[in-house]
Amino acid sequence: MEETGNPHPYVPTDLLLPDYVPPFLSQSAILCIYGVASLVVVSTVWVSSGFSRKIAKLDRLLLCWWAFTGLTHLILEGYFAFAPEFYKDKSGFFLAEVWKEYSKGDSRYAARDSGVVSVEGLTAVFEGPACLLALYAIATRKSYSYILQFAISLGQLYGTAVYFITAYLEGDNFAASPHYYYAYYIGANASWVVIPSLIALRCWRKICVAVNVADQKKTKTKTR
């Protein structure tokens, strides 16, 4: 129990969170609402992109990913970055409820760890809009689509690496229990390791092929 006499479920137990207000929603309710909202976004993008025969199935999947991750960066992470006292929220505001719950897997969020705030803030401000730009670039077949996706994916991988490495260097003991550690800290962040890695590799290959083709054309032009 903290010195203010207001207990919380986070680690360490003596973490000072004055005026902490427990979540109003249950874990299942929070996950259900977030899951349904995400499904609506992904389904809307998938269905709407299906009306265009010019967009391949893989590109449609990428559109779904960039819509989901872009809105997650902008709305969810953006709220955390600019709401330093979310743990005091008494209104039951959903975004505050999400971070109160997620902090059980990583209490650095409730504690406003400077490294976490920096990573989340930069992600929200720069990568969020960039993800939506990538969505637009794929849908309209812009020439900068691959380099943009490559850059964003590298940024996501860098941010995730900083997130995990700083936790490791600080003892990796910020979860309320193994359940929250593996479900939130590991599981919730796994997508931002696997998917950006696959996208970065694909874009790297596409860019290399395009450069090789361009170089071959230049060589043929010079030899004529």
Side-chain angles (χ1 to χ4, degrees):
M1 182 177 294
E2 57 183 342
E3 295 178 4
T4 59
N6 202 8
H8 59 71
Y10 310 127
V11 176
T13 55
D14 60 355
L15 174 66
L16 295 178
L17 295 177
D19 303 319
Y20 166 75
V21 177
F24 291 90
L25 298 175
S26 65
Q27 179 189 49
S28 59
I30 293 172
L31 294 178
C32 183
I33 294 172
Y34 180 73
V36 170
S38 300
L39 183 61
V40 168
V41 170
V42 170
S43 299
T44 300
V45 174
W46 176 260
V47 172
S48 59
S49 63
F51 292 112
S52 175
R53 295 182 179 180
K54 296 180 180 180
I55 304 178
K57 185 174 291 186
L58 179 56
D59 284 332
R60 291 175 65 194
L61 290 172
L62 289 171
L63 289 175
C64 292
W65 165 251
W66 290 122
F68 165 76
T69 192
L71 293 176
T72 297
H73 291 333
L74 276 173
I75 299 174
L76 193 60
E77 294 172 89
Y79 172 80
F80 166 78
F82 299 103
E85 297 184 336
F86 67 86
Y87 61 84
K88 296 182 181 180
D89 183 78
K90 298 179 181 180
S91 66
F93 182 54
F94 179 69
L95 296 181
E97 297 287 284
V98 170
W99 289 113
K100 288 180 186 180
E101 178 65 22
Y102 181 79
S103 293
K104 295 175 183 177
D106 189 345
S107 63
R108 293 181 298 169
Y109 282 81
R112 301 298 292 179
D113 177 83
S114 58
V116 169
V117 174
S118 298
V119 169
E120 295 290 9
L122 290 171
T123 298
V125 172
F126 293 105
E127 292 186 6
C131 289
L132 299 184
L133 179 59
L135 185 153
Y136 168 78
I138 294 172
T140 56
R141 306 173 69 84
K142 296 296 183 182
S143 59
Y144 57 80
S145 170
Y146 292 114
I147 190 62
L148 177 61
Q149 292 179 73
F150 183 73
I152 300 170
S153 296
L154 287 185
Q156 290 177 326
L157 289 171
Y158 177 80
T160 305
V162 171
Y163 174 68
F164 282 125
I165 291 172
T166 52
Y168 175 78
L169 293 176
E170 294 173 8
D172 198 14
N173 184 31
F174 302 101
S177 71
H179 164 73
Y180 291 112
Y181 179 85
Y182 289 105
Y184 293 166
Y185 178 72
I186 299 297
N189 292 287
S191 297
W192 280 275
V193 175
V194 176
I195 298 178
S197 296
L198 294 175
I199 293 175
L201 286 172
R202 177 175 182 263
C203 292
W204 174 271
R205 291 169 182 167
K206 292 284 188 179
I207 294 170
C208 288
V209 169
V211 171
N212 286 333
V213 171
D215 287 343
Q216 290 174 4
K217 288 181 178 180
K218 288 182 180 179
T219 301
K220 289 181 180 179
T221 301
K222 290 180 180 179
T223 56
R224 288 178 181 176

